[in-house]
Amino acid sequence: MHMKNVISFLLLCFSLATANGQGWEHLYPFGPDQSNGVSDLIPTPDGGFLLRCRGSVNPPPFTMVFPTADFYKLAANGSEQWRKTHQELFDAVVYAMAPAGSNRMLFLTYRDDTTRLVKTDANFQPVWTLVLDAPGMTGYNIHVENVAGGHLVMYQQNGQQGDPVRMIKVNSSGALLWAKDVNVVSNFSFRNFASDEPGNLYLFGEGGNPFGATLGKVSPTGSLLFTKTYASSPVCASPILLNDNLLAYLDFNNHLRLIDAEGLPVTTLDVSVFAYRIARANDGNILVGYSADVSEVGKITPDGTVIWSQAFNNINAAYGKAPFSLWSLPDGGTVTLFQPAGGTQPFYVVRTDANGQVYTNQVHGRIFADVDGDCNYTSGQDFPAPGVSIIAQKGPDFYYATTDSLGDYAMTLDTGTYLLRVLPPGGPWLACDDSLVVNLNPYDTITWNTGINTLNHCPWPGVNLTAPFLRRCFTNSYQVTYGNSSDVVADSAIITLTLDPFLTLQTASLPFTSLGNNLYEFQLGDLGPLQTGAFNVEVQVDCSAELGQTHCSSAEISIANPCPEPALEVPVIQVTATCEGDSVAFRIRNEGGAPMPAAAEFVIIEDLIIMRQGQFQLPAQAETTIKCPATGTTSRIYAGQAPGEPPFFATTTAIEGCNGPIQAGYWNMYPEIFVRQDFVRDCQPNIGSFDPNDKQAVPTGYATEHYIGRGVGLDYKIRFQNTGTDTAFNVVVRDTLSPWLEAATVRPGAASHPYTWQLLGVGVIQFAFSNLQLPDSLTDLAGSQGFISFHIDQKPELPLQTLIENRAAIFFDFNAPVLTNTTFHRVGEKFVVVSAWEPANARILVQAVPNPFTAETRLDVQGLTNASPLYLQVFDLQGRKVVEMQSADGVFQVKKGALEAGMYMFQITQEGRLVGRGKLMVQ
């Protein structure tokens, strides 16, 4: 039986049962050395929980250097009480842990070639310690459990398939009862075990001939009673004992197999395509943990009847989260540890009540556009406000919901006091009610209806433009979305589309007029309040464009009744870049109605290097031109910032490939920030082949570290393609946002198809393409593709070196999610390398192309009048000479060779005199 088929029905039935405890869910960040992630979780005697992280623990023998991996102690409500390393807690590496009953806990530790079993009280103070004879313990697949008559340690010696399973039993006072080795079957690979009330042990794994799931039953004194090998796939999850005559194990084909105490099959249940872990519920039923489109836990009876199933939408499978620990609690609730696949993503713990519910409280309501300004809903005049975010804040935690097309929203929350706020959808809107404080007790329902209105009743048009990709020599599709973010009609709206010179318009889904010079006009007519729309434009990318060349197209929306703007006498700085033979000409113009009151700064960047900085001060309607040598680099100018300030929020433009081959990949490293809602520019390189399901971000970030400045927002684009064998009727894109991004600032953008969106939970953005009927790629390659884009801001004043990672999951109907790549950015300042060349004489120029380089670079010295040979020396940042060569013609070919990636300094001399110094970057 598939559990998901009955979820909706079960949700309606939740009210028929009574829960005994309130749930919660929390994300916990990684410590400094937890690259291997969390390992397990156990309940503690005080009602809380203990999480153990593996960190960089290596199997013995090893030099005793303690890992910095952490133990996390959680209170009963999930809050973190303390964090300690292995060394701080036990002065040893902890291999395994388990509750021991009677307010006690068990820990298996290792140090200095000695294995110890430690029993502690509720405060983690040792009650007794026993040194074990544990040959061949490798640090992997080791188990310690509380069993009938005492405690048991079990592992497979040397961690090798076919080696004996070592069993060590002690009594509750710490006295050794017996230690035995058992060979279950040939090629046996031990997984885990279960024990019954009389003390029999059931060892599960794989082995035998033919190879299959294998059971070995061991007596309470350690003697092997019998073995059974089953024609099923290997054991996936820990086995469980449902009663003294019924055991269950989960295989890798997602079959829950039940057998009796003699190893005879009883029944097989098809639980789910994503089943990952099972546990015995206190009432004798079975808990199942899932790693699916969302993290999920359910309860079923031994005959397969679903009791409840709960998906936790706040955390999705985009980080490969799987249930690593699953426990039934004394009050009938559950606790589950969901483990990321790796990296630095936070791990996730969720506690439910006996019905599988996390939170039993609901806040819901309707948000309306208050046209008459009285903050009361007036039927026939006011109208629903879709796409409005509602934020519930409890201390440092934020929870989100988004209104649908009817203006309705709903969110489930924990108990406690919350500050509710409405975030208007941009433009001129304000919230009628600034906020509402609510105090939630278990099973409370709060209704909050409120409006948004504006004091400025004039149109607010906006436009967005993007394409999933631009393939050279192919027809590609731009998506143009537009809207009126106001409460009055925008008259006679027109969008003017300016295409890159290498793009040719083929067709469009809306009538257009060609204005010449690759300008096209689209008449939209009147746009009603909060009305949105979209159309497609098909373009051909010229085959003469260089591979990787950047193409910039823009869209601007205008209306007949724009908001009146006061005539401000202020300077307005604009910049342009043109290729003029062997030079790039940057023109800085003050198009405003007033002179600049003080000098401002400009910065010119070539690829990764700041090549020139300076200041300018212009009268009204005046301009100045700055020329730089053209070598094919991507040259960018930022102009207008105050001296010494970060340049990224100043006016900018770029040009690439002037007087040389295109150096691809640099254009979108740097941000282009547009504050106008009525204008947008899309710049992206053309491509050859591509990954059909991926995630991209602009700016991409500086160099290999992907540095961006504080406050620089990110534009994400998620592309998808149906590579299956049949039509996909519904596609859902779910993105668990980085905790360093401000979820409330999400602005959905252009997409390939109509969609709805929601902001959920602790910061999950979900885009739904309903009834999409996306054909498979073999049937219709072009039609099988789609994309969604959105903008989001950083949280304010992030610490320098903050790593912002993001990944999305794409769901085609009911299939397993397709996970995108992980984008990453690091927050920094002053990260752009300054001055690649410092000549001793201003007439001398050195061109380093490319710089940075991956294989080799060419250094070309120009402007010398002396024909004597030149000498080049390259040094690493420790001052060690790594390259030395001579040139008679002023040209040096520097190969990467054994040079490691990083920054290097070079100097060129002639007849013992310095010609100049510079910097090279090796990738």
Side-chain angles (χ1 to χ4, degrees):
M1 170 179 288
H2 288 278
M3 301 181 68
K4 296 188 176 185
N5 296 336
V6 293
I7 290 176
S8 297
F9 171 76
L10 291 172
L11 290 175
L12 297 175
C13 299
F14 275 156
S15 59
L16 302 179
T18 301
N20 299 316
Q22 176 77 14
W24 47 260
E25 55 186 340
H26 286 287
L27 286 169
Y28 302 93
F30 276 91
D33 186 19
Q34 296 169 7
S35 58
N36 290 325
V38 289
S39 179
D40 53 1
L41 168 149
I42 62 169
T44 52
D46 60 356
F49 307 95
L50 184 69
L51 290 93
R52 179 174 67 96
C53 299
R54 289 192 300 266
S56 59
V57 180
N58 296 315
F62 61 90
T63 302
M64 195 59 211
V65 177
F66 286 101
T68 56
D70 296 318
F71 284 92
Y72 288 71
K73 177 61 178 68
L74 308 181
N77 65 359
S79 61
E80 184 179 327
Q81 293 178 305
W82 49 256
R83 189 184 306 185
K84 296 181 180 180
T85 66
H86 290 236
Q87 182 180 15
E88 291 170 330
L89 196 59
F90 289 110
D91 199 29
V93 176
V94 177
Y95 277 161
M97 60 184 188
S102 303
N103 292 325
R104 298 290 188 261
M105 292 173 287
L106 293 170
F107 296 90
L108 188 67
T109 71
Y110 176 89
R111 180 176 179 177
D112 298 333
D113 296 325
T114 302
T115 302
R116 295 176 173 86
L117 183 63
V118 182
K119 191 171 189 176
T120 75
D121 61 18
N123 296 316
F124 301 91
Q125 298 302 309
V127 175
W128 51 257
T129 298
L130 176 65
V131 176
L132 301 179
D133 179 17
M137 185 176 287
T138 65
Y140 299 103
N141 205 20
I142 300 171
H143 304 280
V144 57
E145 297 289 347
N146 195 42
V147 299
H151 315 302
L152 191 75
V153 175
M154 191 178 297
Y155 65 95
Q156 187 159 28
Q157 294 183 36
N158 305 307
Q160 296 295 319
Q161 177 179 327
D163 282 358
V165 176
R166 180 73 166 172
M167 301 178 296
I168 306 172
K169 189 170 185 179
V170 304
N171 66 19
S172 58
S173 300
L176 178 67
L177 297 178
W178 48 261
K180 295 187 177 181
D181 297 335
V182 60
N183 290 292
V184 180
V185 293
S186 61
N187 300 318
F188 183 66
S189 181
F190 174 59
R191 293 284 183 177
N192 211 324
F193 74 96
S195 64
D196 61 18
E197 187 64 30
N200 294 301
L201 307 174
Y202 301 87
L203 282 62
F204 281 82
E206 305 90 49
N209 187 15
F211 192 78
T214 300
L215 163 68
K217 185 173 180 178
V218 176
S219 73
T221 58
S223 299
L224 182 64
L225 300 177
F226 67 77
T227 63
K228 298 282 186 180
T229 299
Y230 307 98
S232 69
S233 67
V235 175
C236 172
S238 302
I240 58 173
L241 186 80
L242 297 177
N243 56 55
D244 283 345
N245 195 45
L246 189 62
L247 297 99
Y249 71 92
L250 184 69
D251 69 22
F252 275 108
N253 287 332
N254 302 290
H255 293 122
L256 185 63
R257 299 184 181 272
L258 276 64
I259 57 177
D260 64 18
E262 300 306 312
L264 299 176
V266 175
T267 188
T268 297
L269 306 175
D270 184 7
V271 288
S272 169
V273 295
F274 303 117
Y276 193 86
R277 190 162 297 274
I278 57 175
R280 182 187 184 277
N282 290 347
D283 57 7
N285 290 303
I286 305 170
L287 299 173
V288 185
Y290 301 85
S291 177
D293 54 345
V294 292
S295 303
E296 187 175 348
V297 173
K299 182 192 280 191
I300 63 175
T301 64
D303 65 2
T305 302
V306 178
I307 300 173
W308 56 259
S309 179
Q310 183 72 309
F312 310 116
N313 288 294
N314 285 351
I315 306 298
N316 63 34
Y319 301 122
K321 288 185 173 12
F324 263 41
S325 291
L326 176 61
W327 291 86
S328 183
L329 301 176
D331 64 3
T334 68
V335 65
T336 312
L337 165 67
F338 290 96
Q339 162 71 58
T344 58
Q345 296 301 332
F347 52 91
Y348 173 53
V349 179
V350 59
R351 203 251 201 237
T352 75
D353 66 11
N355 293 324
Q357 292 177 293
V358 178
Y359 301 133
T360 60
N361 314 302
Q362 186 179 78
V363 175
H364 66 93
R366 175 169 292 183
I367 309 298
F368 60 91
D370 177 42
V371 177
D372 57 16
D374 63 358
C375 284
N376 293 311
Y377 180 76
T378 304
S379 180
Q381 184 172 357
D382 298 336
F383 54 88
V388 176
S389 294
I390 293 84
I391 306 172
Q393 181 180 358
K394 179 184 178 184
D397 299 323
F398 293 83
Y399 305 85
Y400 303 91
T402 306
T403 58
D404 60 18
S405 60
L406 298 178
D408 293 335
Y409 72 93
M411 60 174 67
T412 55
L413 297 170
D414 196 358
T415 55
T417 301
Y418 291 84
L419 178 68
L420 303 181
R421 291 183 291 124
V422 173
L423 184 68
W429 294 98
L430 301 171
C432 284
D433 299 309
D434 290 336
S435 59
L436 177 69
V437 177
V438 297
N439 185 40
L440 298 177
N441 296 307
Y443 303 97
D444 275 351
T445 297
I446 302 293
T447 302
W448 186 35
N449 301 322
T450 188
I452 57 173
N453 59 27
T454 175
L455 301 177
N456 184 13
H457 299 283
C458 67
W460 196 274
V463 65
N464 204 300
L465 168 75
T466 194
F469 47 76
L470 295 174
R471 291 191 71 187
R472 191 176 57 157
C473 302
F474 283 82
T475 298
N476 303 265
S477 179
Y478 273 107
Q479 180 79 4
V480 183
T481 58
Y482 57 88
N484 173 21
S485 302
S486 75
D487 61 347
V488 298
V489 174
D491 295 339
S492 304
I494 296 174
I495 287 180
T496 302
L497 177 66
T498 304
L499 292 179
D500 184 88
F502 285 85
L503 305 182
T504 302
L505 192 149
Q506 303 290 302
T507 61
S509 61
L510 203 66
F512 62 89
T513 301
S514 176
L515 304 179
N517 296 323
N518 248 11
L519 270 67
Y520 301 91
E521 183 177 273
F522 297 81
Q523 297 189 13
L524 309 176
D526 296 343
L527 299 180
L530 295 183
Q531 180 181 342
T532 61
F535 61 90
N536 293 318
V537 176
E538 305 294 325
V539 299
Q540 179 82 9
V541 180
D542 198 313
C543 294
S544 65
E546 293 187 47
L547 184 62
Q549 180 176 339
T550 302
H551 304 286
C552 290
S553 298
S554 63
E556 184 171 11
I557 187 169
S558 59
I559 57 176
N561 59 332
C563 291
E565 295 185 6
L568 298 178
E569 297 296 322
V570 295
V572 177
I573 304 303
Q574 295 292 336
V575 293
T576 59
T578 56
C579 181
E580 299 181 359
D582 61 355
S583 298
V584 172
F586 292 105
R587 288 179 175 82
I588 307 175
R589 180 174 175 80
N590 177 9
E591 295 186 348
M596 295 173 59
E601 193 169 42
F602 70 84
V603 173
I604 296 175
I605 303 172
E606 291 187 8
D607 291 346
L608 294 175
I609 311 293
I610 293 179
M611 295 301 295
R612 190 167 176 182
Q613 293 175 275
Q615 295 184 355
F616 67 98
Q617 186 173 4
L618 296 172
Q621 302 299 310
E623 69 177 40
T624 184
T625 299
I626 302 165
K627 290 191 175 184
C628 298
T631 59
T633 60
T634 300
S635 299
R636 176 175 293 278
I637 186 171
Y638 286 97
Q641 74 271 19
E645 291 295 317
F648 303 120
F649 299 94
T651 302
T652 183
T653 192
I655 191 171
E656 65 181 5
C658 180
N659 195 34
I662 295 282
Q663 305 295 319
Y666 295 104
W667 189 294
N668 282 330
M669 275 189 181
Y670 306 94
E672 294 184 347
I673 298 172
F674 297 98
V675 296
R676 294 170 53 189
Q677 180 170 289
D678 61 346
F679 175 84
V680 65
R681 184 168 73 162
D682 177 83
C683 293
Q684 56 179 298
N686 66 53
I687 61 172
S689 60
F690 66 97
D691 186 340
N693 295 287
D694 70 353
K695 183 170 187 178
Q696 300 176 339
V698 174
T700 58
Y702 179 82
T704 56
E705 298 86 356
H706 295 192
Y707 276 112
I708 57 174
R710 277 196 184 112
V712 171
L714 292 167
D715 289 289
Y716 286 112
K717 179 164 56 181
I718 302 165
R719 306 188 297 190
F720 55 86
Q721 183 177 29
N722 178 13
T723 57
T725 58
D726 198 2
T727 299
F729 290 90
N730 298 286
V731 175
V732 173
V733 176
R734 186 175 291 120
D735 190 335
T736 299
L737 299 169
S738 165
W740 306 117
L741 297 175
E742 189 62 77
T745 65
V746 165
R747 297 200 305 271
S752 56
H753 303 81
Y755 65 91
T756 59
W757 72 282
Q758 289 179 288
L759 195 57
L760 305 169
V762 294
V764 178
I765 185 169
Q766 176 175 290
F767 302 95
F769 299 85
S770 300
N771 197 26
L772 186 60
Q773 300 188 40
L774 198 69
D776 64 86
S777 55
L778 294 178
T779 301
D780 182 356
L781 180 62
S784 67
Q785 303 170 33
F787 75 95
I788 181 67
S789 62
F790 67 94
H791 175 89
I792 190 168
D793 293 335
Q794 299 178 32
K795 287 186 175 179
E797 297 302 318
L798 290 181
L800 295 178
Q801 301 303 314
T802 295
L803 182 64
I804 301 173
E805 292 184 309
N806 232 46
R807 193 179 186 186
I810 305 165
F811 310 99
F812 298 91
D813 292 327
F814 300 106
N815 295 306
V818 177
L819 305 181
T820 70
N821 57 292
T822 300
T823 64
F824 69 94
H825 296 81
R826 194 173 292 278
V827 177
E829 65 178 2
K830 299 180 180 179
F831 45 76
V832 183
V833 176
V834 179
S835 297
W837 172 242
E838 299 173 7
N841 187 316
R843 294 185 307 235
I844 302 172
L845 173 69
V846 167
Q847 295 180 345
V849 180
N851 189 19
F853 65 95
T854 56
E856 64 178 320
T857 186
R858 172 189 170 102
L859 293 177
D860 189 356
V861 183
Q862 302 173 4
L864 285 172
T865 58
N866 189 336
S868 300
L870 297 174
Y871 293 89
L872 169 70
Q873 294 176 309
V874 180
F875 305 87
D876 64 19
L877 295 183
Q878 285 72 47
R880 297 184 292 259
K881 188 190 304 180
V882 293
V883 174
E884 185 173 23
M885 61 179 64
Q886 177 179 327
S887 171
D889 59 0
V891 175
F892 299 92
Q893 294 290 144
V894 180
K895 299 183 182 297
K896 177 180 179 180
L899 297 179
E900 296 181 353
M903 178 72 68
Y904 293 85
M905 312 300 295
F906 72 86
Q907 71 175 23
I908 298 174
T909 58
Q910 186 181 52
E911 296 180 345
R913 293 189 297 272
L914 180 68
V915 174
R917 298 186 178 91
K919 302 172 185 176
L920 294 173
M921 289 189 68
V922 178
Q923 293 183 326

